[in-house]
Amino acid sequence: MSEIKVSVVSSNEEIYSGEAKMVYATGSLGELGIAPGHTPLLTGLAPGPVRLETENGEETFFCSGGFIEIQPNEVTFLADTAERADSLDEAEAIKAQELAQKELSDRDADMDFTKAAAQLAEAAARIKTIQKLRKNK
Amino acid sequence: MANTKEVRKQIASIKSTQKITSAMEMVAASKMKRTQDLMMVGRPYSNKIQEVISHIATSNSEHSHPFYEDRTVKKACFIVVSTDKGLCGGLNINLFKSIVAKAAEFKTNGIDSSFALIGLKASAFFQSVGGEVVATADKLGDQPNPEDLIGLTKVVLDLHKNQDVDEVYLCSNRFVNTMTQQPTITQLIPLPAIEDENLVNTHWDYIYEPEAAELLDGLLTRYIEALIYQAVVENNACEQAAKMIAMKNASENAGDLIKELELLYNNVRQAAITQELSEIVGGAAAV
């Protein structure tokens, strides 16, 4: 068993479905490397890049939270929202990060602190994905 | 016999109604495509999450979630998915009928019912019929946002958690094809244990990161939210299809009516001419 079936789905589309030799993702308790034959594992998915090593090179996706289910021959990403990393816009992401930071520092304003913190984490993860993708190119 | 002016007026009014219904038919037809697409793009997610849930059901978990618990049923909750607008034939009323029948059946078994309503039509119906309403969500539009349903879902799940409700059902229309929509009532809680045959014979369990309880709670809640969202989207597609058919029928009926009235109009006109002629002839003979 040298390949593992991978599907990445978000609530409004199927992002990826195919085989991979190795999968890297950020679980809620830290980074995960998933090789074929992995023991069954159920974990949360933290906002961040999901990287697949396939026959024809690498694929990177950005997922903003959700769940990962791992079976020995299958990995399923149930993402809240997911997108192909190629379509990520760095300028947009940086803008979102700045906005979230501003909201966080602006504590008096009538807003949800945890929500802003989550937004900031997501924006930071987005930027990290883009930068990682650049380095690999 | 009616006079020509009256008949002509009637024809004109039916013609303008026909214009409206055929316009609505075309609007529904174009919206139907979009709502069906929306229904399709949601499918992979709900299929996948269903698969994962079936894996969980077959795992020999040390932790059992309350959603799988079979309690003695004292109270059931129906989540009713309806449309906001009418003019879609019997779509809503067929669904409501099957729900009322089910609730009556429960009543004879000593089970009370409560309702969580999505869509204005359901609110209006259950207001007039009576019944305990625990939550409502309406005006979701053609592209419903999953976030708009979270509140309603949470209310129902909290009721279940506090033992106020023992079973939860999801009632909505299934989209079979453009001509047929099937009212269905599916059981959400307790979750029917769908098992994956490939995994059933082995003894295994997941590693959970972090705690099993926390993770399963999150995942199962997400699953139920996804099912409800999918039902709403599917119901939307049903609404547009039913509306298109209803409006098509209305336009056709208006056409038939116009044909009949035109025949009547010609008869009346001919009769008037004949009468006038015979009066002239009679008058001339008298002179």
Side-chain angles (χ1 to χ4, degrees):
Chain A
M1 215 196 305
S2 64
E3 292 213 316
I4 187 163
K5 233 166 84 190
V6 184
S7 25
V8 183
V9 289
S10 76
S11 49
N12 50 14
E13 68 186 311
E14 181 168 40
I15 308 281
Y16 182 83
S17 170
E19 311 257 297
K21 283 189 274 190
M22 190 76 189
V23 182
Y24 303 93
T26 324
S28 54
L29 290 187
E31 299 249 344
L32 286 169
I34 306 154
H38 196 289
T39 180
L41 173 85
L42 198 63
T43 183
L45 176 63
V50 171
R51 201 152 56 82
L52 311 178
E53 264 173 30
T54 64
E55 288 266 281
N56 333 313
E58 275 198 9
E59 293 253 19
T60 310
F61 306 98
F62 174 78
C63 294
S64 68
F67 296 94
I68 313 173
E69 194 236 5
I70 303 170
Q71 291 285 341
N73 52 5
E74 191 173 7
V75 193
T76 309
F77 291 91
L78 298 165
D80 294 337
T81 58
E83 47 200 307
R84 275 183 188 273
D86 313 343
S87 63
L88 282 180
D89 185 346
E90 188 169 16
E92 278 289 313
I94 289 175
K95 211 159 82 191
Q97 188 184 31
E98 276 167 2
L99 191 74
Q101 266 166 350
K102 198 171 138 244
E103 275 187 1
L104 269 184
S105 58
D106 198 12
R107 290 277 198 99
D108 321 321
D110 185 23
M111 49 85 52
D112 195 346
F113 183 73
T114 46
K115 203 173 150 196
Q119 270 170 2
L120 180 62
E122 197 187 312
R126 233 171 245 259
I127 294 170
K128 212 173 95 194
T129 310
I130 297 167
Q131 283 163 351
K132 230 184 215 168
L133 193 68
R134 281 240 175 94
K135 233 181 271 163
N136 288 340
K137 264 180 189 167
Chain B
M1 210 170 202
N3 70 37
T4 48
K5 206 174 159 200
E6 254 171 44
V7 179
R8 216 163 21 188
K9 225 165 150 188
Q10 230 170 353
I11 291 176
S13 104
I14 291 174
K15 266 190 181 153
S16 70
T17 309
Q18 191 189 28
K19 256 183 217 155
I20 296 171
T21 55
S22 66
M24 285 175 85
E25 180 194 333
M26 283 186 272
V27 170
S30 80
K31 273 190 181 168
M32 189 178 73
K33 180 84 187 63
R34 241 179 306 151
T35 50
Q36 274 180 29
D37 288 346
L38 210 60
M39 177 175 85
M40 289 307 171
V41 296
R43 284 251 169 101
Y45 188 85
S46 43
N47 288 347
K48 275 291 165 198
I49 199 162
Q50 192 135 31
E51 222 171 82
V52 173
I53 297 292
S54 76
H55 290 166
I56 291 172
T58 32
S59 76
N60 305 82
S61 178
E62 82 274 19
H63 174 82
S64 148
H65 195 272
F67 287 173
Y68 283 111
E69 231 170 66
D70 269 321
R71 301 181 192 157
T72 45
V73 186
K74 289 193 281 308
K75 193 156 192 183
C77 182
F78 292 93
I79 299 175
V80 183
V81 183
S82 75
T83 66
D84 278 335
K85 291 180 187 144
L87 294 179
C88 45
L91 187 74
N92 287 318
I93 208 71
N94 286 343
L95 180 67
F96 297 157
K97 257 195 225 153
S98 62
I99 296 165
V100 168
K102 185 106 178 168
E105 183 196 318
F106 278 179
K107 190 117 203 169
T108 56
N109 296 335
I111 303 168
D112 284 333
S113 301
S114 60
F115 302 93
L117 308 174
I118 300 169
L120 288 172
K121 286 287 152 189
S123 314
F125 180 80
F126 284 97
Q127 218 162 46
S128 64
V129 169
E132 190 195 336
V133 177
V134 292
T136 56
D138 43 44
K139 301 210 187 69
L140 299 172
D142 292 331
Q143 281 177 308
N145 196 339
E147 279 151 29
D148 296 335
L149 294 165
I150 289 178
L152 178 131
T153 315
K154 190 166 172 9
V155 169
V156 175
L157 295 184
D158 282 351
L159 282 175
H160 178 262
K161 206 179 279 170
N162 300 333
Q163 317 259 335
D164 291 328
V165 159
D166 307 301
E167 280 186 344
V168 179
Y169 292 87
L170 178 63
C171 319
S172 68
N173 283 292
R174 274 292 103 111
F175 187 91
V176 183
N177 56 42
T178 319
M179 301 297 290
T180 328
Q181 294 86 33
Q182 181 71 39
T184 42
I185 301 179
T186 41
Q187 183 175 319
L188 283 186
I189 304 174
L191 280 170
I194 328 147
E195 301 196 326
D196 192 328
E197 292 121 27
N198 302 332
L199 295 170
V200 100
N201 295 323
T202 49
H203 187 96
W204 64 281
D205 191 15
Y206 285 108
I207 300 170
Y208 296 94
E209 283 180 9
E211 284 303 302
E214 193 184 316
L215 205 61
L216 281 181
D217 198 44
L219 188 61
L220 291 175
T221 308
R222 197 75 192 74
Y223 174 58
I224 286 178
E225 278 168 14
L227 283 181
I228 296 176
Y229 174 72
Q230 195 60 26
V232 169
V233 175
E234 191 158 344
N235 200 68
N236 258 344
C238 289
E239 178 192 359
Q240 298 306 339
K243 186 172 274 178
M244 192 183 81
I245 300 297
M247 288 301 115
K248 195 179 160 78
N249 287 339
S251 306
E252 273 166 16
N253 288 345
D256 290 348
L257 217 54
I258 289 170
K259 248 187 214 153
E260 271 171 39
L261 282 171
E262 264 168 1
L263 198 65
L264 179 68
Y265 171 75
N266 288 338
N267 278 341
V268 170
R269 197 177 63 113
Q270 192 55 54
I273 293 169
T274 315
Q275 196 187 351
E276 230 168 85
L277 264 179
S278 67
E279 270 167 17
I280 292 168
V281 172
V287 176

